[in-house]
Amino acid sequence: MSVTILLGSASSARAAILTRAGIPFTQLAADIDEAALVTDIPEPRVQAQALATAKAHAVANKLLHDPQPHEPTYIIAADSVFEFEGQAYGKPQRPEVATQRWRAQRGKTGMLHSGHTVVAVLGGRKQRILQETVSATVSFADVTDSVIDDYVATGEPLFVAGGFTLEGHGATMITGVDGDPNAVLGLSLRAVREMLDRLGVSMTALWIATE
């Protein structure tokens, strides 16, 4: 029986992770009000999971709104929140915010929380929902103001949780990661594999399907 893996995100980084892992998938972005959702959730780890779950449900609802029959579909959604000195930080959005955050976190360590939700859509309805949050510690180089200014000027840190990435320019400013590096990139393949296993979907069978 064929199945569809649907990435509930517009993230090119998460799509690249699935592509590198040899997992065939389609992509559908979720439309949620992230700021409103986390207003009353102070804990960064809980925020990350709440965002991932909301995205998964939003995409499932979009899918089920289409009256056309669908083969068994497994929606994978994820979202990340950076915790630094007990506070939650999402995407900086603006250059001045990214600069301020980097000047505070340089030479220090924070925690990146990535929430994951898988929703199984079977027989025209949501059947099972699995969740897991994966956290990793990230240590930053003690870079100068000019390096930070140059990094922010690239635009790369503006739309990623915590204002950093492990790929691209950001890789030059990270001294270490303790935990799942893919979770820091946005999607833990280990967590995805285990959740799909629990739903009866073999990742190795998905590999074979792409050959």
Side-chain angles (χ1 to χ4, degrees), residues 9-179:
S9 170
S11 168
S12 58
R14 294 188 176 99
I17 291 170
L18 290 179
T19 298
R20 288 194 298 269
I23 301 172
F25 66 96
T26 57
Q27 198 165 0
L28 179 62
D31 183 16
I32 64 171
D33 186 339
E34 296 186 18
L37 181 65
V38 301
T39 297
D40 298 320
I41 305 175
E43 302 88 349
R45 182 181 176 88
V46 180
Q47 282 188 17
Q49 188 57 62
L51 288 165
T53 300
K55 284 184 175 181
H57 281 291
V59 171
N61 292 339
K62 278 186 181 181
L63 183 68
L64 293 173
H65 184 70
D66 183 350
Q68 298 298 318
H70 298 280
E71 64 184 2
T73 300
Y74 298 84
I75 298 165
I76 300 169
D79 210 318
S80 300
V81 174
F82 182 60
E83 179 178 355
F84 179 68
E85 296 182 342
Q87 299 296 313
Y89 294 98
K91 306 173 183 69
Q93 304 284 351
R94 303 193 309 276
E96 63 271 21
V97 175
T99 299
Q100 180 184 36
R101 291 187 188 175
W102 260 101
R103 289 182 178 177
Q105 69 196 30
R106 61 183 167 189
K108 299 180 181 179
T109 297
M111 183 78 70
L112 197 287
H113 304 287
S114 288
H116 301 72
T117 299
V118 176
V119 175
V121 177
L122 310 169
R125 63 190 182 94
K126 291 182 275 188
Q127 296 275 16
R128 292 187 65 187
I129 300 164
L130 300 181
Q131 303 174 82
E132 183 177 346
T133 305
V134 182
S135 302
T137 300
V138 182
S139 298
F140 303 100
D142 190 8
V143 292
T144 64
D145 286 354
S146 63
V147 170
I148 292 172
D149 292 342
D150 289 345
Y151 181 49
V152 172
T154 69
E156 182 181 277
L158 302 186
F159 303 105
V160 288
F164 68 91
T165 68
L166 290 187
E167 67 269 40
H169 305 295
T172 67
M173 305 168 73
I174 307 297
T175 60
V177 173
D178 185 6

